[in-house]
Amino acid sequence: MSDNASVHAFFTLHHGLPRQGPGSDDTTRRLLSLAGPLPQRPRVLDLGCGPGRSALLLAEEAGARVTAVDLHEPFLDELRRAAADRGLGDAVTAVNADMGELPYEDGSFDLVWAESSAYSIGFDTALRSWRRLLAPGGILVVTECEWTVPDPGPEVRAFWDAHYSLRTTAENTAAAVAAGYHVLGVVGQPESDWEEYYGPLGARADAADPAAPGMAEALAATRAEIAVRRDHGTEYGYTGYVLRRADERWRTRPETVADIGAVRLVNAAAFPTPEEAALVDALRADESAWLPGLSYVAEAPPTPCGVGGPPDGTVAAYALITRCWVDGAPAAALAPVSVAPAHQRTGAGQAVVRAVLDAARLAGERLVLVLGHPDYYPRFGFTPASRFGILAPFEVPDEAMMALPLDVAGRGSGPLPTGTITYPAAFGV
């Protein structure tokens, strides 16, 4: 049987299906909500769009101008017809192109979207090659199939090893950070997302003619895939990643011993009293509170030759996460965040906060709390802690005590703690 016959049979099974991979409109909306505010009429690139379910939703509900890319022209024809029927013909442009060799200039898009498609070039390659397409501060939303247990069984591992090398959420999160992104959210897709794909696909397979050219092989592969999911669905799943392109102007890193003096000076200069600088020193001396690797600095960028200002590498901003507790359960507190006066309102503070939150996520922290300005911290995903049943140990405006769950994938980790926050003794509360 020719390869062409097998490919034709595969697409015969998939034509007209609502989805070409696990997903749902609800998951698309949830991922979109985690992307945060977008420009008016955002420029969106939907890669591996298939028949365009996500592209249509993004155009309709986010007011986006969507460039939808796929290599299979019949899928694009389906999308064009659907867009015209919904009055979205001017908002959606369907393009036949290879997602691994895209013809677009750097910075062309505010949002790059890839549901159930990055596997075709590999997650790491997708992260690297698509980053350049994002405008400064642009968002990449990508879903990836991965292990959801630490030790998957030999049968399911053998199946996936023959098709695509799966990793864990922790490994893929680390890969995203290493590739130059900040993680805004990680969403474990529900089992119902698989049913939205496999339900119609299974029905189509049952109705297919096994005698058609190439169809026997296509049916065998499809039924094997569905059977593995049925028997081993608790061992792997799809996860959605919402990633923000990091601001490359600022080099962020954990503090070193050599930075302690500079950190003290930044804290002293950024606040009206020396209390914040003393707080950091006291927390650094408290082994029950200090979390190694979660004291972060942002370095000042190089100063152009002949221009005055701080030299390259000085500490421009600082952010610290230490241990706190919620009703006895471990959590993490973000405080203080400080920016040297010469670098305020330049993005240095945002860069160091995003970096330390990434580090906390990679370290396995599940929940970060902050007492801060309600106009500033929501940009990082913080919302009032009271929504999670978490209360400050003192009187404070509800909107100023905020929480950020980091364990959004939430597979097997249990609910977040609720109750009253206990801070380390250095906070004096």
Side-chain angles (χ1 to χ4, degrees), residues 255 260 263-264 267 271 274-286 290 295 318-320 322 335-338 426-427:
E255 73 162 21
I260 291 175
V263 166
R264 187 178 296 115
N267 282 313
F271 295 98
E275 292 179 1
E276 298 294 329
L279 170 63
V280 173
D281 288 338
L283 288 168
R284 194 179 278 115
D286 184 349
W290 193 257
S295 177
Y318 177 72
L320 175 64
T322 52
V337 174
S338 57
F427 283 90

Side-chain angles (χ1 to χ4, degrees), residues 152-168:
E155 182 179 352
V156 67
R157 185 177 286 280
F159 173 85
W160 277 107
D161 284 351
H163 293 84
Y164 185 70
S165 181
L166 301 191
R167 299 189 300 203
T168 65

Side-chain angles (χ1 to χ4, degrees), residues 20 44-52 54-55 58 66-71 76 79 93 95-104 109 111-121 125-127 129-134 139-143 181:
Q20 298 303 316
V44 176
L45 178 64
D46 184 2
L47 295 172
C49 65
S54 297
L58 292 167
V66 182
T67 302
V69 170
D70 203 281
L71 272 174
L76 298 174
L79 172 56
T93 302
V95 178
N96 190 308
D98 185 342
M99 71 173 70
E101 298 179 5
L102 293 164
Y104 305 109
F109 298 96
L111 175 64
V112 173
W113 197 276
E115 287 193 61
S116 305
S117 61
Y119 72 90
S120 64
I121 61 173
T125 300
L127 293 174
S129 61
W130 297 345
R131 185 179 182 277
R132 70 167 187 84
L133 301 171
L134 292 168
I139 305 298
L140 169 63
V141 174
V142 57
T143 67
Y181 298 88

Side-chain angles (χ1 to χ4, degrees), residues 35-36 62 166 179 217 238 267 303 320 348 399 409:
L166 301 191
E217 292 88 342
Y238 258 92
N267 282 313
T303 300
L320 175 64
E399 65 273 15

